[in-house]
Amino acid sequence: MDFSKDWSKWWRGFLGTPPDRNRVAIEILRQRYVEEMQGKDQLTKHADKMHYPQFREKLLHIAADKSKQAEWIAEKIITLGGKLPEVPERRSSDENSWQYLQMDLAEENRNADRLPEQIWRIESDHPDISQFLQRIFQAEKKHRQVINDVLMRSDAFALSLV
């Protein structure tokens, strides 16, 4: 076996993890990767539209967290022998900052709702990935709280005429 060309197969053999078990983990990680990257992009765009700099900073901080999570997920996908998925760009709309915050919160809720089932599906075969997804779940909980706080402090009509 040429180790320089196929590290993922070598690692799978070394770790004793059959490819079938990896397939489920790879698909979950690929989905999480797309969600994290799209979330990062959306939050970055929405942060640029925020009227108040403190709200902008909070959204950019969450986007940075998502970027770090996506990097780790990408490394795991490659280690397990998968390929990074294409990340489709989301269509942007012309809304006010309050509506952007509503969209961000709804997206965070949708992503978090799927995590417990994903964790359950892979925790026996990939405890390290399961633990990381649990950390993401906790981070998502904090992100939702921050976005909700910003949303509650924002005026729904403040920028509707701009």
Side-chain angles (χ1 to χ4, degrees):
M1 175 181 207
D2 184 6
F3 294 116
S4 64
K5 293 190 178 186
D6 199 349
W7 281 103
S8 62
K9 283 183 184 175
W10 184 85
W11 275 109
R12 279 196 305 267
F14 178 74
L15 296 172
T17 309
D20 291 341
R21 291 182 180 165
N22 288 346
R23 185 184 56 77
V24 172
I26 288 169
E27 286 309 310
I28 288 171
L29 289 171
R30 285 171 53 94
Q31 180 183 0
R32 297 285 345 147
Y33 178 80
V34 169
E35 290 170 356
E36 295 297 323
M37 291 299 291
Q38 286 178 333
K40 174 194 70 96
D41 292 344
Q42 179 174 305
L43 285 163
T44 302
K45 288 175 186 173
H46 291 175
D48 290 340
K49 307 286 184 178
M50 288 294 118
H51 183 67
Y52 298 109
Q54 65 271 24
F55 296 166
R56 184 177 309 114
E57 290 304 315
K58 289 179 188 242
L59 293 183
L60 290 174
H61 179 74
I62 294 170
D65 282 352
K66 288 185 169 295
S67 182
K68 289 176 194 169
Q69 292 167 348
E71 287 176 26
W72 188 92
I73 292 168
E75 290 174 13
K76 261 314 186 190
I77 290 169
I78 291 167
T79 300
L80 293 173
K83 294 185 179 169
L84 294 181
E86 293 288 325
V87 180
E89 191 173 331
R90 289 189 179 152
R91 197 182 99 217
S92 63
S93 58
D94 285 332
E95 308 287 341
N96 66 34
S97 59
W98 193 78
Q99 290 166 320
Y100 283 139
L101 290 168
Q102 281 186 313
M103 290 188 315
D104 294 335
L105 185 58
E107 188 64 29
E108 290 291 315
N109 285 331
R110 272 192 299 279
N111 292 342
D113 288 345
R114 287 190 289 270
L115 263 171
E117 191 267 333
Q118 291 172 331
I119 292 167
W120 176 82
R121 286 181 63 200
I122 64 169
E123 73 183 331
S124 63
D125 293 329
H126 297 282
D128 60 326
I129 295 172
S130 175
Q131 288 175 348
F132 181 74
L133 292 178
Q134 288 172 353
R135 286 194 302 270
I136 288 177
F137 184 75
Q138 293 305 314
E140 296 289 330
K141 188 188 272 187
K142 291 176 186 173
H143 295 163
R144 289 191 315 268
Q145 186 60 50
V146 168
I147 294 170
N148 193 47
D149 289 347
V150 170
L151 184 63
M152 292 299 123
R153 291 186 178 126
S154 298
D155 182 359
F157 302 104
L159 298 176
S160 61
L161 301 175
V162 176

